[in-house]
Amino acid sequence: EPEVTQTPSHQVTQMGQEVILRCVPISNHLYFYWYRQILGQKVEFLVSFYNNEISEKSEIFDDQFSVERPDGSNFTLKIRSTKLEDSAMYFCASSEVSDTEAFFGQGTRLTVV
Amino acid sequence: KNQVEQSPQSLIILEGKNCTLQCNYTVSPFSNLRWYKQDTGRGPVSLTIMTFSENTKSNGRYTATLDADTKQSSLHITASQLSDSASYICVVSPSNDYKLSFGAGTTVTVRA
């Protein structure tokens, strides 16, 4: 069964460093998303991406964040100059069209120290 | 502001028993409502997805209901198993943007 895969599963980084979280969406999906979940809190929308551009972003997704689809398969989230409060589980998701079921990856646990 | 409220926050049930989780939302206009199961430290996995015109949707022992008039949904788990222990999240998709609105989830613990 096709699935969304994310790497790494766990990333530890020092405050101020840049990190790149990687995702391989399901191959025939056209819409891609990043969400985050701070420990003990609800899942929060960060950004959606379609046709090689951001289609929507939340207030959380400020200039510190960027997304890219560098080739036909990968979808990345870059966090520049990480802060302690960026520590969270980051989930990538993809869907065939915008209004259908979104499939989530297993997440990357980011710990900023 | 689009909101999704779930209750109870957590519950404990004995294996084999049934339980019902509630979801109230203010998202409008809304396109569909989804229930996800999230095991600790894992990504959410879809259980059901219902459009505004559907009243009920089943997936094995999971049955979701939707009342679009009162903006309420429920998820019923029948004959619970230990593997049902997880967080169950109600997610509403607006019809005018891509952001999914997540509830905080109900943590279900099934005990033998």
Side-chain angles (χ1 to χ4, degrees):
Chain A
E1 185 175 327
E3 60 180 11
V4 176
T5 56
Q6 290 185 242
T7 55
S9 57
H10 191 187
Q11 171 106 35
V12 180
T13 189
Q14 288 200 323
M15 192 169 52
Q17 295 297 305
E18 174 183 286
V19 295
I20 297 176
L21 310 184
R22 302 180 191 281
C23 169
V24 179
I26 294 174
S27 60
N28 64 329
H29 285 185
L30 300 178
Y31 292 81
F32 315 114
Y33 315 86
W34 282 101
Y35 293 84
R36 79 172 185 189
Q37 186 174 31
I38 294 171
L39 186 64
Q41 298 185 22
K42 65 171 70 175
V43 177
E44 302 172 288
F45 170 81
L46 290 177
V47 66
S48 60
F49 191 87
Y50 169 71
N51 200 26
N52 283 319
E53 61 181 23
I54 291 173
S55 44
E56 192 123 25
K57 61 183 181 179
S58 71
E59 56 274 9
I60 302 169
F61 194 89
D62 58 22
D63 292 342
Q64 182 195 8
F65 295 89
S66 62
V67 289
E68 195 176 35
R69 191 156 161 81
D71 52 43
S73 58
N74 290 287
F75 179 51
T76 62
L77 174 69
K78 182 189 289 186
I79 309 175
R80 287 180 284 274
S81 190
T82 49
K83 302 180 287 227
L84 294 177
E85 54 264 39
D86 294 328
S87 295
M89 196 77 162
Y90 288 81
F91 293 107
C92 173
S94 70
S95 62
E96 211 167 335
V97 295
S98 64
D99 213 21
T100 57
E101 179 182 350
F103 290 82
F104 284 78
Q106 294 302 313
T108 292
R109 180 172 297 286
L110 176 65
T111 303
V112 182
V113 297
Chain B
K1 183 178 179 180
N2 291 334
Q3 287 192 322
V4 180
E5 301 291 336
Q6 292 188 242
S7 62
Q9 188 175 15
S10 63
L11 66 93
I12 299 172
I13 56 173
L14 292 177
E15 188 178 14
K17 299 297 185 183
N18 305 333
C19 67
T20 301
L21 318 179
Q22 302 293 338
C23 173
N24 296 333
Y25 62 92
T26 61
V27 179
S28 183
F30 112 99
S31 175
N32 59 64
L33 185 145
R34 314 159 188 213
W35 283 93
Y36 282 86
K37 177 184 178 186
Q38 185 179 24
D39 293 310
T40 302
R42 309 297 294 272
V45 174
S46 179
L47 295 176
T48 64
I49 179 169
M50 293 181 289
T51 66
F52 62 87
S53 61
E54 295 178 286
N55 298 122
T56 187
K57 183 72 72 79
S58 289
N59 177 0
R61 295 180 296 101
Y62 301 103
T63 300
T65 65
L66 174 63
D67 185 335
D69 291 331
T70 61
K71 294 185 168 53
Q72 295 179 325
S73 176
S74 66
L75 180 70
H76 187 76
I77 305 175
T78 304
S80 60
Q81 300 176 357
L82 296 178
S83 59
D84 292 333
S85 295
S87 179
Y88 291 84
I89 307 173
C90 176
V91 183
V92 182
S93 174
S95 58
N96 55 358
D97 65 41
Y98 299 102
K99 301 176 202 174
L100 297 179
S101 292
F102 282 73
T106 292
T107 301
V108 174
T109 303
V110 181
R111 291 196 174 150

